[in-house]
Amino acid sequence: MGSIPEFLLQKLYVKGSLKNTATGFELTIQNTLAPGTIVAFPPLRVDGVDWPLENTSAVLPDGSEASALSVSTETPLRFGISDKVKIQVQGQPLAPGPHKLLISAKTREASLLQIPATDTVS
């Protein structure tokens, strides 16, 4: 599969989903392109800073949770069309205001997807 244009990748990010939690922050991606299989989560980048994978997890559509470190070719995540995955990061909450995001996922079907987004924490 060829590379996916950035304007399509941007549609995977659910605008307005970036928010602080009691233990860090979270955001949501939704598959609007085609069924896929996530085999790795590179670090999430916020404002140019990579967040550690050991502090990152994904909450799947069925409510189960997977550590970013546990996602691999042997233990992939199915990412069906219309599926939403909430990405949670444990650590410092984000400062209020706008943030530049780079959400990455390696898939069997399209290799590395890098989803650029901007959103605001109120």
Side-chain angles (χ1 to χ4, degrees), residues 13-118:
Y13 178 71
V14 177
K15 189 76 172 166
S17 67
L18 181 65
K19 62 182 176 183
N20 285 326
T21 65
T23 58
F25 64 93
E26 65 185 24
L27 57 89
T28 302
I29 56 174
Q30 181 173 17
N31 188 349
T32 58
L33 299 175
T37 310
I38 299 172
V39 297
F41 278 113
L44 172 67
R45 182 172 294 162
V46 180
D47 300 327
V49 176
D50 288 347
W51 288 81
L53 286 180
E54 57 268 14
N55 295 354
T56 306
S57 61
V59 178
L60 308 176
D62 66 4
S64 65
E65 191 171 324
S67 162
L69 290 173
S70 70
V71 178
S72 68
T73 54
E74 293 80 30
T75 56
L77 298 180
R78 300 200 46 72
F79 194 33
I81 198 79
S82 298
D83 281 356
K84 287 184 179 181
V85 172
K86 186 182 297 183
I87 299 171
Q88 298 179 322
V89 180
Q90 303 297 313
Q92 278 290 93
L94 300 174
H99 294 279
K100 192 172 187 176
L101 311 169
L102 184 62
I103 307 145
S104 300
K106 186 174 181 186
T107 68
R108 280 192 184 135
E109 297 79 13
S111 194
L112 182 63
L113 303 179
Q114 293 190 306
I115 306 161
T118 55

